[in-house]
Every structure is written in structure tokens, then in C-alpha cells.
Amino acid sequence: MTTHIDYVRIKREVREYFQYVMLSHKWEENEPLFQHVMHMAVYDLDQSQTHDKLQTFCKIVRDAGFKWAWSDTCCINKSDHFVLQESLVAMFKWYQGSAMMIVFLRGVRSASGRGALVKSIWNTRGWTLQEYVASKIIHFYTEDWTLYLDLELPNHKESPEVVSEMEHATGVSAQQLMALRPGLSSIREKLRLASTRQTTLVEDTAYSLLGIFSVTGLPAIYGEGEGSLGRLLAHVLTGSGDVSILAW
């Protein structure tokens, strides 16, 4: 007797089971880290503003029918240099492969009207640029965890209100923003966009661009300061041969 194995169905169900949702936010003081949740359920963490953020994110993911939630605060073992290096390079692809990204807008209240997204601190951060570009489906939440502008849409990235605000925030059209892809295309545009963003650590100005430039051979050296951006530009220049990027 021969048993038929439906590999197509197996792959489909495994893929659906392991769909994951990622959080995009600005880091704050006392974020829960990898070592804090390694031996403890997220919901057992002591009460705090940042713990509440993580717990509510997980609840929203669970209520949406997903089994896996990912936050950069506690899902990367940053004490392991090799894990950190791999994560910096792979981050863009991880967001790109997510079923959804949830954006937490600290400082934006539920009563806020249009324009609050443009002015939000989330829209000033270096890492959030690649997260927005990479993710296919996005939901924006205010700091009291209501949908931004009460948008009841499957994908806020397709909302005319959000598109308009992101154009205003970045200074480029929605078409240009959506056309950005990993690799050595649109180099000057990517660098210009990055120059309008801020990072807590100066090295992250460069490291937040590793994924969007598909750079894999550049080791992360925290403590080197602005040399990190110089190494990134040299790497991109060598790969592209485009000296005009030096005028960005």
C-alpha cells in the first residue's frame, strides 16, 4: 500500500503556521531584552511602559490569528556578536517576509488628527525607514493602541491618508518610495533619505542601511563612530562604481 504525501499542502500549512508579525517602534529606556524573556513569559514581566508595549503588541498579534510575534528589543541576543551581525544584515529581509508589521506611534494619541504621523518621532528614526520600505502590510497604532485615524483597512500602506503623510515626511513620492529595493540601485536617494533620520548610536546610521543596500561583508563595530559610515560608502562605491554617490 502506497501512502500519498501531499507535499504542496504540507508546505502551505507549515508556511501559514509560521507566519510572523513584526513590531516597528522607537526604542525607549528599560526595554525588555533577550535575557529578560528567555526564561519568562512576556505576560509575566513586571508592569512598566515598555513591558506594556510588548505585551499589547503580542496580544494584538494573537487576536489577529497569528502565532508568532517579533520585536527587535527581545528577539535578538545582542550579547552574541555573531547573532547581532547576522541580524543587522538580515533585518530588511525579515521585515520583507513578515505577514504584517505593526507600527507603534509613541506620542500620537487616539484623538490626533491627520498630520500626526508626519510629526511622530517614529518618522525621524533611522531603522524605521527600512522597516517601512521592506514591509508589505502595515498597521499603524497610536500610543493608546487604537488604529491611527481609525483606519479600518487591511493595509495602511495603501491608505491615501498614510501615503500622503509619508510623502510629506520623506519628501519623495509614494511611487519612488515603493520602488526602493535592496541592492545598489537608487543609491543617492537612499542616502538622502537616511540623512534626514536620526539614530541613538552614530554607528547605526550606517548599520541601518546594510539591508537596504544588501551589504553582507561589512562587520559591525560599535565604538568606531563615524568610521562606520565611511566603510559603508566605500563598500557601496566599490560595488557600484558610481562616484556620484559621494555628492549625496
Side-chain angles (χ1 to χ4, degrees):
M1 178 178 178
T2 303
T3 302
H4 173 69
I5 300 176
D6 190 343
Y7 289 104
V8 173
R9 179 185 175 187
I10 292 173
K11 288 181 180 179
R12 182 180 66 250
E13 294 196 3
V14 168
R15 184 167 59 248
E16 290 177 358
Y17 181 85
F18 284 106
Q19 285 184 322
Y20 58 94
V21 178
M22 300 184 78
L23 177 66
S24 177
H25 65 120
K26 180 194 178 296
W27 272 56
E28 303 169 89
E29 290 186 10
N30 301 316
E31 292 281 2
L33 303 177
F34 177 82
Q35 56 267 31
H36 297 150
V37 302
M38 187 165 54
H39 301 297
M40 179 185 293
V42 166
Y43 302 112
D44 291 335
L45 291 169
D46 294 337
Q47 186 175 6
S48 73
Q49 182 172 265
T50 52
H51 292 172
D52 177 72
K53 175 173 61 175
L54 179 63
Q55 291 165 348
T56 307
F57 163 63
C58 290
K59 290 175 183 176
I60 289 175
V61 172
R62 179 195 62 197
D63 292 347
F66 297 98
K67 297 177 175 63
W68 305 94
W70 189 96
S71 171
D72 57 353
T73 57
C74 60
C75 293
I76 301 174
N77 183 4
K78 298 174 184 65
S79 64
D80 187 321
H81 177 77
F82 295 103
V83 170
L84 178 60
Q85 177 73 40
E86 179 186 34
S87 301
L88 293 175
V89 173
M91 197 76 70
F92 190 98
K93 289 185 178 179
W94 290 349
Y95 276 93
Q96 196 173 43
S98 67
M100 179 169 62
M101 179 179 79
I102 287 178
V103 176
F104 178 70
L105 299 172
R106 176 71 75 194
V108 176
R109 303 291 295 175
S110 57
S112 302
R114 291 185 61 174
L117 174 58
V118 175
K119 302 172 185 176
S120 69
I121 193 168
W122 177 86
N123 239 327
T124 68
R125 310 306 297 172
W127 287 102
T128 60
L129 173 63
Q130 74 159 356
E131 293 164 7
Y132 177 83
V133 171
S135 300
K136 298 180 179 69
I137 297 177
I138 299 176
H139 283 180
F140 287 90
Y141 281 85
T142 64
E143 72 172 8
D144 40 7
W145 290 103
T146 59
L147 290 169
Y148 179 61
L149 300 180
D150 296 320
L151 292 172
E152 295 286 350
L153 296 173
N155 187 4
H156 290 179
K157 203 171 184 178
E158 297 176 351
S159 159
E161 294 90 346
V162 169
V163 168
S164 176
E165 290 201 50
M166 290 305 296
E167 286 181 326
H168 188 185
T170 60
V172 299
S173 70
Q175 290 78 10
Q176 289 175 299
L177 204 55
M178 296 291 286
L180 293 179
R181 294 290 182 271
L184 297 179
S185 61
S186 307
I187 297 173
R188 293 184 67 182
E189 189 61 48
K190 292 172 182 175
L191 289 172
R192 190 198 66 78
L193 283 170
S195 71
T196 66
R197 302 275 173 147
Q198 303 169 6
T199 58
T200 302
L201 300 176
V202 66
E203 295 88 354
D204 280 336
T205 301
Y207 302 155
S208 64
L209 296 173
L210 294 180
I212 206 167
F213 282 125
S214 294
V215 173
T216 59
L218 197 74
I221 307 173
Y222 283 100
E224 69 172 327
E226 295 181 355
S228 57
L229 184 58
R231 289 194 298 118
L232 174 66
L233 289 175
H235 191 99
V236 171
L237 177 60
T238 300
S240 67
D242 182 6
V243 295
S244 69
I245 66 171
L246 299 176
W248 66 278

